[in-house]
Amino acid sequence: MLDPRVLLDPATDAVRKLARRGFALDVTSLEKLLAGRNSAIQRGDEARSESKRVAAAVKAAGRGGDPQERDALVARARELKGVVAAAEEEHRELEAELQDFLLGVPNLPSDDLPDGASDEDAEQVRVWGEPAQLDFTPLDHVDIGEKLGILDLPRATKLAGPRFAVLRGKGAALERAIARYLLDLHTQQHGYTEWSVPTLVNRVTMTGTGQLPKFEQDLFKTGVADRELYLIPTAEVPLTNLHAKETLAVEDLPLAYTAHTPCFRSEAGSYGRDTRGLIRLHEFSKVELVRIVDAETSRAELEVLLSHAEAAMQGLGLAYRVVRLAAGDIGFSAEYTYDIEVWLPGQQKYREISSVSDFGTFQARRAGIRTKAKDGRRGFAATLNGSGLPVGRTLVAILEQGQQADGSVRIPDALVPYTGFTELTP
């Protein structure tokens, strides 16, 4: 969430920046809400001040003063009490309207991002690894998985419908191995603290990271007794909100957290896209990376976070590239985003496997994550998150990049200690 004063400050140039991501800021409505709220606050403060003076005058008039004057003062005191109550009610209503307005405004994209609104407008930053030159026609991961006997989509559809998957045998073992490798890498080499967190969270938690109210249609909603709960779309949600409504000491930052969780997404609006296989499922698992940092260091911390996600790719020997997303293609809460795209021989193209984003203080303002420095300076933290990595898409990349002419798949060396096998065979 953004400070309304910042949005209206000409120096911020918020209208132009938001237009780059296709959002038209209604300045008139914002000014009206802010002016109305401030007016209600001022009226209430003035009435309370006068009420104190009248109360003192009533007390003085009671000590031998004019009874008529005292009655008039008592009547004025009652009147002022009503003025205060009305001003407070108006303030509450306008504050709620202002908060609803601000919750619908996305973050300001960085001026460093390219213009555009699709993945075709992204800028390539670097390429790592050479896509293998295969002397046979590569298969996609679905055909590979079915020939190997490790992927069963028909039975998944029988169990839950489209966009679910069942892995068996060495496929399930490989999935588990990927998650263990990623957790060990990030906790033992990159300094992340592992958490086990709920996959059901409340509305306040979802609002804190920006999933609500904007993206309610993309979430799976349920309930327990009288509680409204949502299945998390990513571990970013509970990990970031661990410190909601808290004040963190700047000297204790950065905080680096990771968790392996199932993730649930309705994929509303994406039907017809990636309906085959493991690329876009309703349920998948992911190892997420979250960093909570001093706001002044967030962009440098984004490079650190990116390097950790890249290290996972490089450790698995997967060819990939890094791209800088266009201003109109970043997420609602982000101000700057890199995508890591892995090479998929079966599609003959790079496909997104990880996004790492700097949210600035946007999420921290929503969640109430504040900071305090030793010199007394107070502010909001900055938050960052990235996939480090999604298990399903990593498995897809391993199947496609590791496929051999005889139908077998070579397992990355880094995973062999976790799998106990070096290849998958039909």
Side-chain angles (χ1 to χ4, degrees), residues 112-362:
D112 296 336
L113 298 178
D115 290 329
S118 74
D119 53 7
E120 295 180 357
D121 301 308
E123 289 181 349
Q124 181 170 293
V125 177
R126 57 181 164 270
V127 176
W128 188 90
E130 288 289 335
Q133 300 300 314
L134 304 178
D135 57 4
F136 59 92
T137 302
L139 301 178
D140 74 3
H141 69 281
V142 177
D143 291 334
I144 296 170
E146 290 177 343
K147 288 179 182 296
L148 291 172
I150 63 170
L151 177 63
D152 194 334
L153 296 176
R155 283 194 171 95
T157 301
K158 178 173 67 175
L159 293 174
R163 296 203 171 186
F164 289 90
V166 165
L167 291 165
R168 71 176 182 182
K170 288 187 175 181
L174 178 57
E175 181 182 49
R176 173 164 45 87
I178 293 169
R180 290 179 60 200
Y181 159 74
L182 294 171
L183 286 171
D184 284 351
L185 173 70
H186 296 311
T187 57
Q188 296 174 16
Q189 296 187 32
H190 298 152
Y192 288 80
T193 299
E194 182 180 358
W195 292 77
S196 176
V197 292
T199 53
L200 282 167
V201 298
N202 57 33
R203 174 173 285 270
V204 172
T205 300
M206 281 290 190
T207 302
T209 42
Q211 279 73 30
L212 289 177
K214 177 72 173 176
F215 301 106
E216 186 150 9
Q217 65 173 348
D218 295 324
L219 304 172
F220 286 105
K221 181 179 177 180
T222 183
V224 178
D226 59 345
R227 284 183 290 162
E228 176 187 59
L229 296 170
Y230 295 84
L231 289 161
I232 61 170
T234 165
E236 165 203 348
V237 176
L239 286 176
T240 303
N241 281 281
L242 286 169
H243 294 290
K245 310 303 181 191
E246 294 181 15
T247 299
L248 307 175
V250 170
E251 59 268 24
D252 292 337
L253 302 179
L255 301 177
Y257 295 159
T258 187
H260 172 226
T261 67
C263 305
F264 305 89
R265 299 182 184 179
S266 73
E267 297 292 351
S270 68
Y271 288 93
R273 297 170 54 202
D274 298 314
T275 56
R276 177 177 164 84
L278 306 177
I279 297 292
R280 197 179 298 274
L281 299 175
H282 289 312
E283 179 181 356
F284 58 98
S285 72
K286 186 150 61 92
V287 173
E288 192 74 355
L289 305 176
V290 166
R291 298 181 75 82
I292 302 175
V293 307
D294 184 353
E296 295 181 359
T297 67
S298 68
R299 194 55 50 84
E301 288 283 353
L302 179 62
E303 299 299 326
V304 172
L305 178 59
L306 176 61
S307 73
H308 294 160
E310 285 191 76
M313 298 290 292
Q314 293 173 14
L316 295 171
L318 297 173
Y320 69 89
R321 69 176 183 176
V322 176
V323 299
R324 182 184 296 107
L325 292 193
D329 197 31
I330 60 176
F332 178 83
S333 298
E335 63 181 36
Y336 200 105
T337 298
Y338 290 112
D339 270 4
I340 298 175
E341 298 180 342
V342 68
W343 175 252
L344 296 184
Q347 298 186 27
Q348 287 294 295
K349 63 168 59 174
Y350 287 99
R351 295 298 307 270
E352 178 204 336
I353 192 171
S354 173
S355 283
V356 296
S357 297
D358 177 6
F359 303 113
T361 60
F362 187 85

Side-chain angles (χ1 to χ4, degrees), residues 86-119:
E88 288 177 345
E89 178 61 24
E90 184 178 355
H91 176 209
R92 282 192 294 270
E93 292 176 356
L94 289 171
E95 182 66 32
E97 288 185 46
L98 179 61
Q99 292 304 304
D100 287 345
F101 180 99
L102 294 173
L103 287 174
V105 179
N107 203 354
L108 302 177
S110 170
D111 286 336
D112 296 336
L113 298 178
D115 290 329
S118 74
D119 53 7

